[in-house]
Amino acid sequence: MTNDTSTGTVSAPKPAALEEKLEEQAFKLSAWMANQGIFIFTAALILFAAVFIDGFVSLPNITDVFNRAAPIGIVAAGMTFVVISGNYLDLSVVAQVATAGVVLIAVSNETSIPVAMLVAVVIALAYGLVNGVAVGVFKANAVIVTLSTTFIGLGLLRWATGGSIYFGPSDGAIRAFGATRIGPLPLAMILFVVVTLILSFVLTRTTFGFMVRSFGSNREATRLSGVSTPWVVIGAFTVTSLAAMLGGFVLAAFSNTAVSAMSDGYDFRALAAIIVGGTSVFGGRGSVLRTLLGVVFVSVLTNIMVLSGLGFGIQQMAIGLLIVLAVSVDALARKATGA
Amino acid sequence: MNVPDRDAAVGSQPADDRVGGDDHPAPIIEGRNIVKRFGGAVAVDDVSIAVSPGEIHGLLGENGAGKSTLMRVLAGVLAPNEGAVWVEGRKLDPGDTRAALDAGVSLVHQELSLVPEMTVAENILLGSTPSRSGFINTREQKRIAAEALEEIGVSVDLDEPIARLSVALRQFVEIARAIARKPQVLILDEPTATLTPAETTYLLDMLQRLAGRGLAIIYISHRIPEIFAICNRVTVLRDGRHVTTVDIEDTTPEGVVEFMVGRDLQLELETHRVDPDIGEVVLSARGLRAPGVNDIDLDVRAGEIVGLGGLVGAGRTELVRAMIGADIRTAGETTITRDGITKRIASYRSAVAGGVAYIPEERRTDGLALSMPVVDNITLPNRHALSRAHVLQSRKIVDFAKHLAEVVNLRPPEIHRNVGQYSGGNQQKVVLAKWLGREPEVIILDEPTRGVDVGAKAEIHRLIRELADNGAAVLVVSSDLPELLELSDTIHVVRDGRIVGTLLRDQADETSVMALASGQTKVDAP
Ligand SMILES: Nc1ncnc2c1ncn2[C@@H]1O[C@H](COP(=O)(O)OP(=O)(O)OP(=O)(O)O)[C@@H](O)[C@H]1O
Ligand SMILES: [Mg+2]
């Protein structure tokens, strides 16, 4: 509105007015940083990697980054629903991803891929229902509930498989899916983007997604607005479970193998991606598109560490540090917006 | 933008130059040329205020005028963008709550800020818990808490968790907490919004006693009679600006209101006239029991406004919540009748689906999603009407929300702003707007105008009457007696979870309602 300073008149602005303007700019900048910070950081990180890290810009490396990002990204996109609903996270995605991967390969070896997928869907719905009912109906704490279902799920899986590794046929459709790519883009990455777009639409534009967000902001006010809140929670956990299942398929297809330990650390990697993207652990605020950016950020960061020869321990430490940092920024942002 | 030119050097004028005359003793607290902006918006614009020991200084203004913001600056909760706070001639560090407390400035917030799970004693000493080498000194804690409660003359069990106290008692604990810090300046932001007349009178007496002992008090309220009952001087704010500071003898209630709104406001005390051939019973309860609710029979007819009077804690909120299934009931039945068909209210959701709108008592915990924008809050109960095949229709939603923001006179009318950033009274308007859009057939309002300014209050009363005139069955709970009397066609007075008397409009006045509420008489329903 007051952009007439650009007309080149010589009258200097009064000190008070100048100060005000600077202050307004500072405010705008900080608000912009809080909201769009992830965009800059991701771009800066990619730029940094491209310039300083040997081997980052090469077709095999970029394909590898995508291949690793896709399964975790699909899981994180789904889990965004649980986080926004104010239920912190779904730890049991570790068990769900592994179960879906093992079921896909082991069951399809015995029968066929569609049957294996159907079995996996039934298992995913069961996970969504159990987690959702415990948290949504019985009001149990989501962290404890999903930690327990992780134990149950992984225990069952190890008992059923005896810890053995399953291999798909080397000329099967699963391997073909895992190996196909368009340019540097693996099919899995395209699937990830499609899942993100669909879930983003569900979260922002449908009444279900709207209720998830509003429940995350204030449960009681949402209930008193006539929303069936248990169903909202069950829905959020079910979306997460179905995404975890897809993530499991993609992960298994990538190597054409499956084992109960294949998804170690997926819980915290997904959470890191979600909150680095700027979705609030307090619930109510965030988006699936932000999670996509968070996934890119975390994946590129991990890739940089791998290419620099930093061991798994350091990588794990970095993820932990990243979560603490992002959660602290989130808490500060929440205070600043007066919510 | 809308910032006026200001080239005077800020904060350099001598203190006597400020508000008030020469006949006032030296002020103990002064805010000089305070400016506070949130982003681009100016909440407090170059306001100065000075209060002397023993003075009760009223602070008035419409919702969003900047009263709470100015007080939070004085108490060091917010740092001003310009200007400074001086206590006893010393400048306070801006935005340093600790320093303000140490200098003797205590603020009782507009919204309750106690920890529900902690005990009365723990809450009173919150933030200044006495300890010896890291261990809490429980005995000392209780001694200080008991002393503070005694000072305000309230008796309550020190070991009781806050969650079990009535809203009124919580308010008094909140005041005890401020008193426990031995303040020289006590700021109260709408302390009586949750109190009944008797409790209000008690609080006002108490404040006069404290002022008599030399405490400086700043008192915010939308209830003009309270201001005239206890204040020596008043300051009026409008749109963040200082309008006037006058001695109370030099003004009148009408004059003050005119300063507040900037025009001559006609406060029609026009009562609701129910149709002689009154409509059929829409909402009905028989033998209703729930925790705090004892065997209630209650009918509300189409076109009728039924008021529930009584003391805070009498069970009115519990009664209306049990009626519509928002909380569990232990016995009895409630029904809702639409188009001649009577249906049992089986759950809260079926009540809402049946056309019930419920405006809860606690807007921040039960009424609003504070971290979401106004438009989303309004969409929530109306999501079915605003979506097609479960997909929300953005354009329709924006039009809908804009219209409702206008209906309730939300200020500023920015529907994409987070509700948490609105002033208390404007948040209340958003709660109303949420439900008005459904054109409810039954509307239950629990303290509908708590914290709402005089102008907006009259506007909300007009809306409620309009709903009834259009055939809605209206049930109002209010501790604000004039409001209850103005709105209700029939008043049921509740005590200990029972209806102890029913008064028709021409039988009801402040005395008859209060007599029933406090159990002095028993009048039978005609
Ligand atoms: N945290 C915040 N962020 C942005 N704007 C804010 C914030 N807090 C207050 N405001 C704005 O500052 C203005 C003054 O608000 P304030 O709470 O001081 O009003 P008030 O006079 O106390 O009103 P009420 O009578 O309704 O309590 C309002 O326009 C409000 O929307
Ligand atoms: Mg206020």
Side-chain angles (χ1 to χ4, degrees), chain A residues 14 20 23 27 205-207 210-211 213-214 217-218 220-228 337-339, chain B residues 5 37 39 81 321 326 348-349 364-366 368-369 371-372 376 380 383 387 390-392 394 421 434-435:
Chain A
K14 271 177 283 178
E20 231 151 62
E23 202 176 74
F27 170 81
R205 308 271 294 117
T206 69
T207 50
F210 178 66
M211 288 187 288
R213 286 185 283 133
S214 129
S217 183
N218 186 340
E220 187 59 8
T222 304
R223 177 180 84 91
L224 290 176
S225 297
V227 171
S228 170
T337 54
Chain B
D5 280 345
R37 284 183 288 265
N81 295 97
R321 287 177 67 101
Y348 179 70
R349 290 215 314 129
R364 290 173 73 89
T365 54
D366 297 352
L368 297 167
S371 64
M372 294 181 98
D376 284 0
L380 191 56
R383 61 194 181 281
S387 61
H390 296 287
V391 175
L392 296 164
S394 327
Q421 295 178 351
K434 272 177 75 169
W435 292 100

Side-chain angles (χ1 to χ4, degrees), chain A residues 335-339, chain B residues 36-39 41-44 61-72 78 110-111 189-190 220 222 237 240 363 411-412 417 420-427 451-453:
Chain A
K335 215 168 144 193
T337 54
Chain B
K36 177 68 198 173
R37 284 183 288 265
F38 291 107
V42 192
V44 174
E62 292 183 281
N63 295 135
K67 305 179 294 295
S68 299
T69 306
L70 178 62
M71 291 305 108
R72 281 153 72 200
L78 292 173
Q110 180 169 14
E111 316 288 346
D189 196 346
E190 297 192 38
I220 301 182
H222 287 296
L237 303 183
R363 55 176 171 252
R411 271 189 306 165
R417 213 211 268 201
Q421 295 178 351
Y422 273 94
S423 76
N426 279 296
Q427 290 180 3
V452 170
D453 69 47

